Amino acid sequence: MAFYSRVSGSVGMITLQNPPVNALSAAVRQGIVDTMHRALSEPEVKSVVICGQNGKFCGGADIREFGATMAGPPLVPMVHLIEAASKPVVAAIEGIALGGGLELALSCHYRIAHSKARLGFPEVALGLLPGAGGTQRLPRLVGVPAALDLITTGRHVTAAEARQLGIVDEVTELNAVDAAVKFAQSVAGKSLDARRISTYPCPRPPDLDAIFERAMQQVRRSSRGAIAPGTCVQAVHAAVTLPYAKGMERERELFSVLFNSGQARALQYYFFAQRAVSRWSTANGARWDTSKPRPVRKAAVIGLGTMGRGITVSLAQAGFTVVAVETQEKQLSEAKQGVSGMLERGAKRRGVPLAHDKIKYSCSVQAVADADLVIEAVFEDMALKKTVFQQLSAICKPGALLCTNTSGLDIDELASQTQSPELVVGMHFFAPAHVMQLLEVVYGPRSSPEAVATAMQVGKKMGKVSVAVGNCRGFVGNRMLKQYLEQAFFLLEEGATPEQVDQVLEEFGFAMGVFKVSDLSGLDVGWKVRKADGLVSPASTGTSARIRGGSRYSPLGDLLCERGRFGQKTGKGWYQYDKPGGRVAKVDPWLHGFLEDYRAQHGLVARRIDHQEVLERCLYTLINEGFQILQDGIAAGPEDIDVIYVLGYGWPRHRGGPMFYASQVGLDKVVERLEHYQQIHPDVPGLQPSRLLRKLAAINNPAIHKWREVIQKPRSQL
Ligand SMILES: CCCCCCCCCCCCC/C=C/C(=O)SCCNC(=O)CCNC(=O)[C@H](O)C(C)(C)COP(=O)(O)OP(=O)(O)OC[C@H]1O[C@@H](n2cnc3c(N)ncnc32)[C@H](O)[C@@H]1OP(=O)(O)O
C-alpha cells in the first residue's frame, strides 16, 4: 500500500509501504493513485513528495505478480497521472530506484537522491524491458547512447553517476526525504512545463544509425540467444523515431512480446531460484533458519596453486584476516606475487582499497593454529588431502571449521581423518575462484548444521551464491556433467565431430560447447579422475576397450591424453590452436582422421547425426541425472541444481537452468526421448529415466515449484 501524510503544512507526502523493497504491487499502485488524487484535491497542498518506507524508494514492479492475473491500476496510467499533475511532484530516492521504481521517479517532476542510492533498469535480466515509459523517457532525459547502455545492460548506477547523467537533480549526504520536502517547498507554484520528460524532444545524434547498429551488434554478441536485450534496443529506437504517444504504443507492443515469452518466465524463475538457495536444508533435516553460523574472523588457506590463490583473494576482499600457507619456498614466493597482482587488479576494477595487509603468508602449516576456518586447496589427490586433514586435526584450535576445496572427492572420508568430523565440510569453488560466483557447500553425513551454516555464511560474505549439497561423487555439478560429457564422446564415436556438437550447444545458448570447454580446462583433468577411478585401462583393441563394468565407455579422451593432447595448454586437444596456450579453436583435420581410424578399428559405422539428437542426448541425460540427484536427496530442490548450472557451468540463464528447461519441454517428453535412445543404446545406464522423473511425468508434469512436494525426503540421520 501507500500511505498519505501532510508535512510542513503544504507538502503532501506519499510513502510506499511494501517490505522488503516496496515493490509496486496492485495495492501499492492503488495506494499511489488514491493518494495522488487526494494530494491534488487538497487546496493547502502545494507540492508532493513520493518516498519509500524503510530507506528504500522502490524495487520496481512486483515480480511475483507477473505469474498471476494482473489486478489493480496499471502502471502506465499511474505514471501519466503523476507526470500530468498540476502540483510539483518530487521523488525522494533512498536505497534503490529500480525498474518500475525508476519509471515512477522519472514521471515525477524532480528527483532528489541520497548519495548511497542505486538506480537502474534491470528488467532486461528478467527477460523484459522498462515497459512503463522507461524506454521513452530515459533517452529523452539522458540521450540515446546512455539510455541504450543502461537499458540493455540493466546495470545499476550510483547517485553520483545518475547526477552526472542528468537522471537526478540533486544528491544529498543527509536525509533524502527531508531534502526532498525542502526542495518541494522551494518549487511550489512554479511552472511545470519544462519538467515533464515525455514532452521533451528526443535528442537525435548525427550518427544515429551507427549508434543503433553498434548497440544491436553488442547485444547480439553478449546475449547468446536472449531476446530481451535486442528488443530493448528496438524500444529505444522508437523513442527517437516516433512521437511520445506512438513510442508508448510501440513500447507496449514489444513489452507484450517479451512478457509472454518463455525466456521471461525462465529468467523470473531464476531470479527467485537464486534467492531460494539461501534458505537451504540438508537431507538429514538441518535448515538455514534453525542453524546458527559460528563467527569467523580469521581464515586460512592451505595450498596456493591457482584455486588457493583465488580463494585467498576472495577471502581478503571480503574482509577476513587470512593466513595463506604454501610449504615450498619458491611456490610461496610465486603465489605472493600472483595474489598481489590479483588484489591490485581487483582494487582498481572495483574502486576499493587494497587488501594486502589482510594476508599473512607462511611456509608452515602450524601458522593456521588459531584460524576459525581453514580451507584446504592442495592437489586433487585423496591421499594428500587425508594427510593434510590429519595434520589440521592435530594443529587447529578446538571448534575450527575444516573445509576442503575438492571438486568431487568423498567429504566423509576426509572427515574420518579428524577428531571432529562434524566440523568438516566441502567448499567447492569454481575457477577462477575470485571471479566465479558459485560455491557448492558440501555436507557429509556427519557435518553439523552449524558447520554448514558457517560455510554458507562465509561464502555469502565472499560474494558467492552458496548452494548446500550432499556428499557424492562429483556432488551436483560434476556428477551431472559426467553424463553430458559421456554422451558427447558417444556422439563422436557414432559419427559427429567436436565442432558439430559444440555448434549445437552454442546455438542452445552455452558460451562454449563441451569440447571447447574441455580444451580450455584441460583434458588431463578428467583423465586423472578416470585413472583414479580405475577406468583407464591399458590400450586394447576390440569392443572390450569400450566397456567398463558392463556399461558403454568411450576411451576417446584417454586416447587424446596419451598423445599429449591436453587442450589449449598443449596447443592441441579436440581442436588445434596456433600455439600452446592459444585461445582460438580451429577445426583439426588430424582429429577427423583419428576419429575415422578409431571407428574403423572398433567396427563403428559413422552416421548422420542431427541437431535434435545432439541436444537431446547431451541435455536429457544431464537432466536425468539431476532427477536422480533430487531423488537421492543430494540437492534439496530443482532451484539448487539450476543455480549451480547457470552460475557454474554456463547454462544459458534465459533457459532457467536444466530442471526448469525440462519442466518447459515437458517431463513426459523427456522420458519418452530417453526411452527412445535407451532402446538404441541399452548399454548406457544414463539413458534410463530416473524413478523421480517418471513419477513426476506420470502425475501430469506438475509446475516446478510443486516438485518438492513429490520428492520423498530421505530418512533423517540426525
Ligand atoms: C499480457 C501482456 C501484458 C502487457 C502489459 C503491458 C503494460 C504493462 C506495463 C508493466 C510494465 C512493468 C515494467 C516494470 C517492470 C519492473 O519493474 S520488473 C522489476 C524490476 N526490478 C528488479 O528487477 C529488482 C529486483 N530486485 C533486486 O535486484 C534486489 O532484490 C534488490 C532490490 C537490489 C535488493 O537486493 P537485496 O538487498 O540483496 O535483497 P534480495 O534478497 O535480492 O531481495 C529481498 C527480497 O525481496 C524480493 N524482491 C526483490 N525485488 C522484488 C520485486 N521487484 N518484486 C518482488 N519481490 C522482490 C526478493 O525476492 C527477496 O525475497 P525472497 O525471494 O523471499 O528472498
Side-chain angles (χ1 to χ4, degrees):
M1 58 180 270
F3 66 86
Y4 182 74
S5 54
R6 185 97 71 74
V7 188
S8 308
S10 64
V11 179
M13 172 98 79
I14 298 174
T15 308
L16 278 47
Q17 192 182 30
N18 184 15
V21 301
N22 297 320
L24 295 163
S25 63
V28 173
R29 297 195 305 274
Q30 188 65 61
I32 293 174
V33 170
D34 293 346
T35 50
M36 260 319 284
H37 283 304
R38 182 164 169 197
L40 295 177
S41 67
E42 288 181 353
E44 304 83 355
V45 169
K46 306 295 179 208
S47 53
V48 181
V49 167
I50 303 183
C51 63
Q53 205 188 29
N54 293 334
K56 285 180 184 146
F57 181 69
C58 177
D62 192 330
I63 306 167
R64 287 182 203 278
E65 284 186 353
F66 289 163
T69 328
M70 295 292 237
L75 262 182
V76 172
M78 183 193 91
V79 296
H80 282 148
L81 168 74
I82 296 169
E83 193 185 57
S86 52
K87 300 176 185 178
V89 185
V90 183
I93 303 174
E94 296 176 296
I96 44 167
L98 298 173
L102 183 51
E103 288 175 307
L104 167 65
L106 292 184
S107 73
C108 297
H109 306 113
Y110 301 93
R111 287 155 292 281
I112 310 297
H114 186 262
S115 54
K116 295 241 162 69
R118 285 180 298 146
L119 300 86
F121 279 130
E123 286 89 338
V124 68
L126 298 167
L128 300 173
L129 54 77
T135 66
Q136 303 305 298
R137 282 197 179 85
L138 190 65
R140 284 178 161 79
L141 188 62
V142 302
V144 170
L148 280 170
D149 167 36
L150 293 194
I151 294 174
T152 60
T153 62
R155 77 183 177 89
H156 298 181
V157 295
T158 59
E161 189 180 348
R163 174 79 187 92
Q164 212 174 17
L165 287 168
I167 298 176
V168 299
D169 301 289
E170 253 184 51
V171 176
T172 176
E173 300 275 344
L174 308 172
N175 184 309
V177 178
D178 291 347
V181 169
K182 259 199 195 138
F183 191 93
Q185 286 171 313
S186 73
V187 291
K190 289 209 171 139
S191 164
L192 294 173
D193 289 348
R195 300 304 312 177
R196 297 189 175 99
I197 299 172
S198 71
T199 63
Y200 296 1
C202 191
R204 279 185 78 98
D207 52 346
L208 198 66
D209 290 345
I211 290 175
F212 278 100
E213 185 50 39
R214 268 201 307 277
M216 263 309 179
Q217 278 170 4
Q218 167 64 29
V219 297
R220 263 188 223 118
R221 262 198 310 273
S222 56
S223 61
R224 295 193 281 130
I227 55 173
T231 312
C232 286
V233 175
Q234 290 179 44
V236 174
H237 191 257
V240 190
T241 51
L242 299 173
Y244 176 76
K246 290 274 175 218
M248 284 301 288
E249 278 174 29
R250 182 76 179 130
E251 181 190 87
R252 187 189 161 87
E253 234 170 70
L254 294 168
F255 181 84
S256 173
V257 171
L258 293 180
F259 189 79
N260 293 312
S261 70
Q263 291 197 3
R265 270 192 293 280
L267 285 161
Q268 287 156 29
Y269 157 81
Y270 182 78
F271 174 85
F272 290 113
Q274 198 170 309
R275 280 145 185 90
V277 297
S278 64
R279 294 186 283 273
W280 57 271
S281 62
T282 69
N284 49 20
R287 288 169 51 90
W288 66 283
D289 50 352
T290 53
S291 311
K292 201 165 173 275
R294 286 171 179 236
V296 174
R297 272 174 285 277
K298 188 170 194 174
V301 179
I302 305 210
L304 298 180
T306 314
M307 290 307 285
R309 292 178 199 184
I311 297 167
T312 302
V313 167
S314 213
L315 283 165
Q317 283 173 340
F320 293 100
T321 302
V322 190
V323 180
V325 176
E326 174 58 67
T327 50
Q328 306 297 315
E329 283 280 4
K330 185 165 170 279
Q331 275 140 3
L332 181 68
S333 126
E334 282 170 13
K336 271 186 195 173
Q337 276 189 356
V339 167
S340 295
M342 286 152 85
L343 284 174
E344 272 155 28
R345 285 189 295 277
K348 207 166 158 191
R349 202 178 46 245
R350 303 185 320 163
V352 291
L354 269 170
H356 285 312
D357 57 342
K358 289 272 168 201
I359 308 172
K360 291 227 166 7
Y361 294 90
S362 174
C363 266
S364 164
V365 181
Q366 295 289 341
V368 310
D370 62 345
D372 304 305
L373 170 142
V374 183
I375 303 175
E376 162 280 302
V378 302
F379 288 122
E380 191 76 341
D381 177 284
M382 184 49 110
L384 176 61
K385 285 187 187 272
K386 275 183 172 174
T387 310
V388 173
F389 269 76
Q390 285 158 9
Q391 284 178 305
L392 291 177
S393 183
I395 293 168
C396 290
K397 68 179 185 185
L401 195 67
L402 305 185
C403 310
T404 172
N405 172 53
T406 168
S407 57
L409 295 179
D410 185 353
I411 303 300
D412 200 33
E413 202 174 333
L414 289 174
S416 67
Q417 307 304 308
T418 70
Q419 286 154 19
S420 307
E422 72 281 3
L423 293 176
V424 175
V425 290
M427 286 180 94
H428 177 203
F429 291 88
F430 289 70
H434 62 302
V435 175
M436 292 288 280
Q437 250 194 306
L438 177 66
L439 174 67
E440 277 184 325
V441 170
V442 190
Y443 58 88
R446 290 181 282 176
S447 309
S448 70
E450 206 183 20
V452 182
T454 308
M456 290 292 285
Q457 196 186 58
V458 167
K460 187 171 179 196
K461 283 194 180 151
M462 292 167 86
K464 309 289 175 200
V465 177
S466 310
V467 185
V469 302
N471 181 34
C472 66
R473 191 84 175 111
F475 316 134
V476 169
N478 286 341
R479 178 169 155 183
M480 290 167 70
L481 190 73
K482 183 168 177 282
Q483 301 297 330
Y484 171 77
L485 275 169
E486 194 176 83
Q487 288 302 317
F489 288 1
F490 293 162
L491 288 163
L492 296 192
E493 291 186 340
E494 292 164 36
T497 59
E499 48 279 13
Q500 183 199 351
V501 173
D502 280 356
Q503 191 191 341
V504 171
L505 296 169
E506 286 164 19
E507 279 170 13
F508 178 78
F510 282 99
M512 274 188 196
V514 59
F515 291 107
K516 282 193 195 140
V517 172
S518 170
D519 272 0
L520 174 68
S521 44
L523 275 68
D524 51 325
V525 177
W527 195 34
K528 264 188 212 136
V529 174
R530 293 192 295 276
K531 275 186 186 166
D533 287 350
L535 291 169
V536 179
S537 60
S540 60
T541 53
T543 342
S544 62
R546 298 179 45 242
I547 299 284
R548 297 289 183 278
S551 302
R552 181 170 168 189
Y553 176 80
S554 171
L556 279 172
D558 306 335
L559 294 173
L560 291 198
C561 287
E562 281 168 19
R563 286 161 176 77
R565 296 180 70 108
F566 292 165
Q568 286 188 5
K569 60 179 128 182
T570 56
K572 288 186 173 74
W574 300 105
Y575 293 89
Q576 58 176 330
Y577 301 84
D578 55 357
K579 57 176 191 289
R583 295 285 178 92
V584 182
K586 282 192 263 175
V587 171
D588 190 348
W590 178 89
L591 193 98
H592 290 183
F594 164 79
L595 288 174
E596 277 164 27
D597 292 348
Y598 173 86
R599 292 182 198 117
Q601 190 186 357
H602 293 281
L604 298 163
V605 179
R607 64 187 171 85
R608 228 195 117 263
I609 297 173
D610 66 15
H611 183 110
Q612 195 62 13
E613 178 170 354
V614 173
L615 208 57
E616 288 178 347
R617 282 181 57 189
C618 290
L619 301 190
Y620 291 1
T621 44
L622 175 142
I623 286 166
N624 192 34
E625 193 64 29
F627 280 101
Q628 193 60 51
I629 280 169
L630 288 176
Q631 188 182 307
D632 295 347
I634 297 296
E639 298 85 357
D640 301 84
I641 296 178
D642 285 335
V643 169
I644 287 172
Y645 258 80
V646 169
L647 293 184
Y649 295 84
W651 184 281
R653 195 178 293 232
H654 60 268
R655 294 193 188 267
M659 309 317 279
F660 182 82
Y661 177 68
S663 76
Q664 297 301 93
V665 168
L667 302 187
D668 44 352
K669 161 108 192 286
V670 177
V671 170
E672 187 255 299
R673 297 309 291 159
L674 283 169
E675 281 173 342
H676 165 78
Y677 293 117
Q678 206 211 352
Q679 275 183 1
I680 305 169
H681 308 283
D683 53 352
V684 180
L687 290 167
Q688 162 93 42
S690 89
R691 203 156 28 84
L692 177 65
L693 170 58
R694 281 188 193 285
K695 192 169 169 184
L696 286 163
I699 53 174
N700 222 3
N701 204 20
I704 194 162
H705 64 271
K706 302 254 182 207
W707 291 6
R708 280 180 199 247
E709 293 165 21
V710 180
I711 300 165
Q712 260 188 344
K713 293 271 170 289
R715 199 165 41 86
S716 171
Q717 293 165 17
L718 278 184

